[in-house]
Amino acid sequence: MSIISLITGWPGLSGFGSASTAEDVTQGIDASGLTVIVTGGASGIGLETVRVLAMRKAHVIIGARNVEAANKAKQQILQQNPSAKLDVLKLDLSSITSTTQFAQNFIALNLPLNILINNAGVMFCPFQLSEDGIEMQFGTNHLGHFLLTNLLLEKMKNTAKSTGIEGRIVNLSSIAHVHSYGHGIRFNKINEKKGYSDKRAYGQSKLANILHIKELTRRFQEEGVNITANAVHPGLIMTPLMRHSKLLMRLLRVFTFFIWKNVPQGASTTCYVALHQNLKGVSGKYFLDNNEKRPSSYARDEALAKKLWNFSEDLISSISKV
């Protein structure tokens, strides 16, 4: 997609573009019978994703750190759509304990799982470590979602096998993945304050989101599993995610107002990749403005994707043993 397409909203090969909304890209789709988990579904594009998927009759599970806010969001949707099927479960992705508990609580509901949307995240936060001693942006944006996905994979595989319906995993990444540290991921310095950059740490976590789906896809294809995994960049949207950089973002928006999206437009690529029939069988790709986009060379590096997978497993294992 060119900058002209981004500014004008002209559709790409998919028939949709930067101006398309989540309702536009899901028009006519009946998602009844599908169960979807959306992390970070209490605000911003996550909330819009939940609203539109519920409108299309999916049963949506909102995973949220702030359960009170998530329940308020649920009530807002129910006021507009009384027949919406929504549930709220507590989920703090920066905590291995909380992420594990969420997965256990979901499995206890005895529901199928067709779609997992790894949407939650933090952005440009000052250096801090999670309760598990992991740098917060890497721990929340990548490691928490990596663990959650692995904990739910058997449920997704069983659902896809028993129903014959393709499962889908969607990771929310960002164009910021191109602005990571040298060599992409600083494996030996993940938790070090020295050399920390809030912008590069965010880019690193978003690069990890793409590498995650790349290795997932390789494994799914090797196993013959009927599940796809793709990453999306929602675009520039002023949401609560930017709370650590409001002044910077507002200043940036003054000079780049023509490429910013509203929330319904920002949620469109997520909903498109999660539901649209055009994406049947498509996996391991990166999408921007509802069309496939070529990511950075690091994001296409199969060896780096495998290394990150093994590193993430070892990191979680080391924390769990403490």
Side-chain angles (χ1 to χ4, degrees), residues 43-110:
S43 64
I45 60 175
L47 175 56
E48 177 67 1
T49 299
V50 170
R51 185 189 71 82
V52 172
L53 293 179
M55 175 188 291
R56 303 307 178 209
K57 301 181 180 179
H59 182 178
V60 186
I61 312 298
I62 303 171
R65 183 173 52 187
N66 187 334
V67 173
E68 182 180 355
N71 278 315
K72 286 182 179 178
K74 173 184 173 180
Q75 292 307 315
Q76 290 173 0
I77 294 174
L78 287 171
Q79 287 175 6
Q80 301 173 357
N81 178 11
S83 63
K85 298 175 67 176
L86 300 167
D87 285 297
V88 173
L89 293 176
K90 184 173 178 59
L91 172 62
D92 180 353
L93 287 155
S94 70
S95 164
I96 286 180
T97 299
S98 176
T99 303
T100 302
Q101 187 64 59
F102 172 89
Q104 292 173 347
N105 290 341
F106 173 76
I107 291 171
L109 294 175
N110 199 29

Side-chain angles (χ1 to χ4, degrees), residues 48-266:
E48 177 67 1
T49 299
V50 170
R51 185 189 71 82
V52 172
L53 293 179
M55 175 188 291
R56 303 307 178 209
K57 301 181 180 179
H59 182 178
V60 186
I61 312 298
I62 303 171
R65 183 173 52 187
N66 187 334
V67 173
E68 182 180 355
N71 278 315
K72 286 182 179 178
K74 173 184 173 180
Q75 292 307 315
Q76 290 173 0
I77 294 174
L78 287 171
Q79 287 175 6
Q80 301 173 357
N81 178 11
S83 63
K85 298 175 67 176
L86 300 167
D87 285 297
V88 173
L89 293 176
K90 184 173 178 59
L91 172 62
D92 180 353
L93 287 155
S94 70
S95 164
I96 286 180
T97 299
S98 176
T99 303
T100 302
Q101 187 64 59
F102 172 89
Q104 292 173 347
N105 290 341
F106 173 76
I107 291 171
L109 294 175
N110 199 29
L111 293 169
L113 179 57
N114 304 95
I115 302 169
L116 172 62
I117 299 178
N118 291 319
N119 165 84
V122 293
M123 180 180 183
F124 298 168
C125 55
F127 179 82
Q128 57 183 306
L129 298 179
S130 71
E131 66 178 50
D132 299 313
I134 306 299
E135 186 276 307
M136 190 61 76
Q137 295 193 81
F138 184 83
T140 303
N141 298 350
H142 166 66
L143 199 66
H145 281 127
F146 175 85
L147 174 61
L148 178 65
T149 302
N150 279 1
L151 291 172
L152 296 174
L153 271 183
E154 282 307 308
K155 170 63 74 172
M156 290 200 75
K157 290 177 183 179
N158 290 337
T159 299
K161 186 175 181 179
S162 63
T163 64
I165 299 172
E166 178 183 85
R168 295 189 181 185
I169 297 171
V170 184
N171 277 4
L172 270 285
S173 182
S174 170
I175 193 68
H177 81 273
V178 305
H179 186 63
S180 183
Y181 294 107
H183 307 295
I185 309 290
R186 59 176 200 168
F187 292 103
N188 298 325
K189 300 180 180 180
I190 281 292
N191 303 320
E192 286 191 18
K193 186 174 183 179
K194 185 178 179 180
Y196 176 80
S197 160
D198 58 352
K199 309 300 186 297
R200 289 189 182 277
Y202 179 70
Q204 173 180 249
S205 70
K206 296 291 100 179
L207 171 61
N209 292 149
I210 304 177
L211 292 171
H212 179 206
I213 65 95
K214 188 171 188 65
E215 179 62 9
L216 267 175
T217 293
R218 186 190 71 79
R219 289 167 179 257
F220 288 159
Q221 292 175 345
E222 192 174 79
E223 293 179 45
V225 177
N226 188 25
I227 303 175
T228 63
N230 292 290
V232 306
H233 169 47
L236 288 171
I237 312 107
M238 190 65 75
T239 73
L241 182 64
M242 295 180 175
R243 59 186 173 275
H244 293 292
S245 54
K246 283 185 178 179
L247 184 59
L248 173 63
M249 290 300 107
R250 285 172 179 167
L251 181 62
L252 177 64
R253 192 171 183 177
V254 170
F255 299 99
T256 60
F257 66 92
F258 48 86
I259 62 173
W260 285 68
K261 297 181 179 182
N262 57 38
V263 169
Q265 292 169 337

